[in-house]
Amino acid sequence: MSKPKKGKRFVYSLQTLLKVRKIKERQQQDVFNKAEKKLQEEQLKEELLKKEQSEHLSYVHSLLSSKDLPKLSVIQMHQAHVKAMQEKVKAQQEEVVKSEENRDKQREELIKKTKEKRIIEIDRDKTRVSWKKMMDKLDSQFLDELASIKFASKMLADSEEEAIQKKKQAMLDKATEL
């Protein structure tokens, strides 16, 4: 924990570090948001490819189940297209997995940066509390000094007044003796 310094206002000695940590957290938040957006885009691409693949498969099934059988070359062309679509879907699924891993990695980094910033914020709060206690203690010491000075001056004034009363009494005693 950093040590508080005397002063009218609280000044945190690690304020620049806190600013840097906030900036790094914000930057990491942006990176995480980009990774999240990329993942959503990849998932959308995967869904579109699967939809296109299922549409093409249903078209091929309808073509094969029709009364007129297509030529062998047409069937081979559609079969090659179905295989190509399967490869695209597999590749897209791998991209989605990579995007998820990247997003998870960025999330971990964001959590780390947030913890680092939070540690400094907690230190700042604790330092502020200890500064407040220190300033209250200094204020009470100052008030105690004022009170002791006032008490001493009152005691001095009382002793002087008592001395004057004694002199008056002594003079009265002498005057009554004569």
Side-chain angles (χ1 to χ4, degrees), residues 40-61:
Q40 290 173 354
E41 289 172 359
E42 295 297 332
Q43 288 173 338
L44 182 64
K45 284 180 187 177
E46 180 184 10
E47 288 176 25
L48 291 175
L49 283 175
K50 284 182 178 180
K51 184 178 178 183
E52 184 180 338
Q53 181 185 23
S54 66
E55 287 174 357
H56 188 71
L57 281 174
S58 64
Y59 172 72
V60 169
H61 285 296

Side-chain angles (χ1 to χ4, degrees), residues 17-144:
L17 178 63
L18 180 61
K19 285 181 183 178
V20 168
R21 297 254 171 109
K22 283 182 179 180
I23 290 169
K24 286 187 177 189
E25 181 194 24
R26 203 173 320 124
Q27 289 172 343
Q28 188 60 39
Q29 181 70 43
D30 292 341
V31 171
F32 172 71
N33 289 341
K34 286 178 184 175
E36 186 74 29
K37 187 175 180 181
K38 174 84 171 152
L39 173 63
Q40 290 173 354
E41 289 172 359
E42 295 297 332
Q43 288 173 338
L44 182 64
K45 284 180 187 177
E46 180 184 10
E47 288 176 25
L48 291 175
L49 283 175
K50 284 182 178 180
K51 184 178 178 183
E52 184 180 338
Q53 181 185 23
S54 66
E55 287 174 357
H56 188 71
L57 281 174
S58 64
Y59 172 72
V60 169
H61 285 296
S62 67
L63 211 120
L64 292 174
S65 63
S66 68
K67 292 180 180 177
D68 297 330
L69 284 176
K71 293 181 181 178
L72 185 61
S73 61
V74 172
I75 293 173
Q76 289 174 340
M77 180 183 73
H78 285 296
Q79 185 180 15
H81 186 67
V82 167
K83 285 183 180 179
M85 290 296 295
Q86 286 176 340
E87 293 297 320
K88 283 183 181 180
V89 168
K90 279 186 183 179
Q92 189 59 39
Q93 287 173 340
E94 290 173 6
E95 284 293 319
V96 168
V97 169
K98 286 180 186 177
S99 293
E100 285 175 345
E101 290 172 356
N102 184 39
R103 180 206 51 196
D104 294 341
K105 178 182 160 195
Q106 297 304 329
R107 178 183 290 133
E108 291 299 320
E109 277 294 314
L110 178 61
I111 290 169
K112 180 182 167 192
K113 301 281 184 193
T114 304
K115 284 180 181 178
E116 289 174 355
K117 181 194 80 160
R118 188 69 189 129
I119 288 169
I120 297 296
E121 286 176 341
I122 290 170
D123 180 61
R124 180 189 63 194
D125 294 341
K126 287 182 180 179
T127 304
R128 178 176 279 134
V129 168
S130 62
W131 172 81
K132 183 74 173 152
K133 286 180 182 178
M134 180 184 69
M135 293 308 291
D136 289 344
K137 185 177 178 181
L138 289 174
D139 287 345
S140 66
Q141 285 176 349
F142 178 72
L143 292 175
D144 288 346

Side-chain angles (χ1 to χ4, degrees), residues 160-174:
E160 286 177 1
E161 192 174 305
E162 194 175 298
I164 291 173
Q165 289 294 333
K166 284 183 181 178
K167 282 184 182 179
K168 282 185 181 178
Q169 188 63 35
M171 289 168 88
L172 280 172
D173 288 343
K174 278 186 183 181

